Amino acid sequence: MASSLAVINCSQLVTLSGPARPRVGAELRELSIIADGALLVAGNRIEKVGTRDEIERLIENSDADCEFIDAGGRVVMPGFVDAHTHPVFAGTRAGEFEERAGGATYQEISARGGGIQSTVNATRAAAADDLVEAGRRYGEWFLRGGTTTVEAKSGYGLSLDDELKILRAVKRLDEETALSYVPTFLGAHSIPPEYRSRREEYIALIINEMLPGVAREKLAEFCDVFCEENVFTIEESRRILSAAREHGLGLRMHADQLSLFGGAKLAAELGTATADHLEHTDAEGIAALKSAGVQPVLLPGSVYALGSTRYPQAREMIEAGLAIVLATDFNPGSSPTPSMPMVLSLASTHMKMLPSESITATTVNAAYSLGRGDKIGSLEPGKLADFVVHDCDDYRDLAYFFGIEHPWKVYSGGKQAFAR
Ligand code: NIG
Ligand code: FE
């Protein structure tokens, strides 16, 4: 036995072991917790989970060297998988945040060239190294909060070179840091000002140059589109996503965030992996997602940070049997938080999700939405040893105590990535 690491004395080993597919309905509440549990790691993978007694006996009967971590009666869980983030950008939007605090709306600021466009201006002007540097800082924030994998969208470049610059930065962050990144091309995040009077040409640029360039360099696994009034129409979104599929990319969509625009229905028609946001999606849209097997990715951090009260209909989606995912939407405008525990808190207080449901939605279901369900998202033999020792003895504390950092130690691929 090539054992290297044993984590013992876990008050709750929250394994989320279960069927090898995203969880729905009552399954969302089944965390497969082992009381007084222990975890055995061999190299970068999970070798075995069990009670402390079982694991200790296994180690006694083997002659391999084993390092022990005493979790001290804490909760041990899979690392969070954050399936929707925009983590590579230059500058911040603290000034706009202050304006919004003074009464301006997100849409007003965007209409006068602020919003996404102000981050695009800063990101275009930034050197690749500076984007990686900023990304490293945010990457540490994710790890400190117990997140070990993030989906990472481009979308603040909006030219071939600048979109490639962002995706190459994502690649470097994935290779050079302990956080794992799943890259998504979001050239269709906004129409840049130089194309405002000729949007058709921007769509052509995405389809004829950006997508082939991204695919050639294998810089993205998914393609996303911001489908919304005054951004990309249903027809434009359909064309871009269909072209992306031709290049072998998986599909995701910003859908029905600011209005009931038909995004969820388009996601269902195209059979995308996910439809994200869904604050305005109605019963018909929910039914369409269900029949197409699309996973909803709900982002309460952006609802909160925009000062809105229109949270997505999580309970209706769970009732309908959707394999719900929760994520941060970390970005400099609508959701400047990398904190999954904050998302858990919002999901319980504003969306009536049980802490158990939210934990499933931020781990195993999120992993499946990224095509990584066989590798991460639960503590099962053979999966990557991405796990977190949280400084509490009851998993519900993660949603209950909010505004604090819970992790005591974070491991990525069996290696310590953060320790308090
Ligand atoms: O998911 N909806 C579009 N994109 C982001 C906001 C990006 C920004 O404001 O910079 C979102 O909310
Ligand atoms: Fe987003």
Side-chain angles (χ1 to χ4, degrees), residues 31-359:
L31 300 183
S32 300
I33 294 172
I34 302 174
D36 194 14
L39 175 71
L40 186 59
V41 173
N44 64 350
R45 304 209 172 251
I46 296 165
E47 174 94 6
K48 200 164 168 50
V49 295
T51 62
R52 178 181 183 165
D53 283 353
E54 282 165 355
I55 298 294
E56 282 182 340
R57 220 171 309 125
L58 200 69
I59 294 166
E60 269 162 33
N61 296 330
S62 122
D63 32 68
D65 281 343
C66 188
E67 179 195 338
F68 281 86
I69 298 169
D70 186 337
R74 295 180 176 84
V75 167
V76 175
M77 271 192 21
F80 290 119
V81 177
D82 193 339
H84 183 137
T85 86
H86 308 245
V88 175
F89 55 85
T92 71
R93 305 229 292 274
E96 290 182 5
F97 175 74
E98 186 176 35
E99 284 179 60
R100 285 194 280 119
T105 69
Y106 182 77
Q107 282 100 321
E108 279 163 17
I109 291 171
S110 162
R112 58 145 172 82
I116 291 174
Q117 191 52 46
S118 59
T119 300
V120 169
N121 296 341
T123 305
R124 283 178 172 177
D129 284 346
D130 295 335
L131 288 181
V132 173
E133 247 349 272
R136 271 182 208 284
R137 174 166 178 247
Y138 303 132
E140 306 232 327
W141 293 354
F142 282 107
L143 286 168
R144 298 177 69 98
T147 298
T148 46
T149 298
V150 296
E151 181 259 14
K153 302 177 196 296
S154 63
Y156 292 120
L158 311 186
S159 72
L160 175 63
D161 286 348
D162 291 303
E163 286 294 304
L164 292 176
K165 177 173 76 176
I166 294 170
L167 289 170
R168 289 181 191 131
V170 170
K171 187 172 180 196
R172 276 185 57 192
L173 289 163
D174 180 58
E175 289 167 355
E176 296 171 13
T177 74
L179 187 63
S180 296
Y181 290 75
V182 180
T184 293
F185 168 63
L186 179 57
H189 196 192
S190 177
I191 303 264
E194 65 273 24
Y195 281 95
R196 277 277 139 90
S197 59
R198 44 190 185 110
R199 55 188 296 130
E200 185 52 40
E201 287 177 41
Y202 186 64
I203 315 279
L205 178 72
I206 293 176
I207 293 176
N208 300 328
E209 294 185 43
M210 292 189 191
L211 277 170
V214 166
R216 204 176 309 123
E217 257 189 78
K218 294 194 185 345
L219 286 172
E221 294 179 29
F222 290 91
C223 177
D224 191 345
V225 172
F226 187 10
C227 179
E228 185 70 54
E229 213 169 312
N230 300 323
V231 196
F232 290 90
T233 66
I234 295 287
E235 181 48 30
E236 290 164 349
S237 303
R238 183 188 283 116
R239 282 173 54 209
I240 294 165
L241 291 170
S242 303
R245 173 172 280 157
E246 295 290 308
H247 287 286
L249 297 180
L251 309 181
R252 317 180 86 77
M253 259 182 86
H254 282 69
D256 301 335
Q257 178 185 9
L258 306 169
S259 63
L260 177 53
F261 194 62
K265 283 195 199 160
L266 178 63
E269 174 197 315
L270 295 172
T272 58
T274 66
D276 303 37
H277 279 289
L278 307 177
E279 285 86 338
H280 288 80
T281 301
D282 59 5
E284 234 178 278
I286 292 175
L289 295 176
K290 168 63 186 165
S291 52
V294 178
Q295 287 192 259
V297 180
L298 307 184
L299 308 163
S302 67
V303 181
Y304 168 80
L306 289 176
S308 163
T309 50
R310 176 111 189 189
Y311 287 88
Q313 302 293 305
R315 284 262 57 98
E316 285 77 354
M317 293 180 196
I318 292 170
E319 290 305 311
L322 298 187
I324 199 162
V325 177
L326 288 166
T328 62
D329 195 14
F330 176 68
N331 75 69
S334 64
S335 193
T337 182
S339 169
M340 286 297 236
M342 180 70 197
V343 167
L344 301 188
S345 168
L346 290 169
S348 287
T349 54
H350 290 277
M351 291 151 66
K352 299 294 169 217
M353 286 180 67
L354 304 182
S356 53
E357 294 173 322
S358 298
I359 282 173

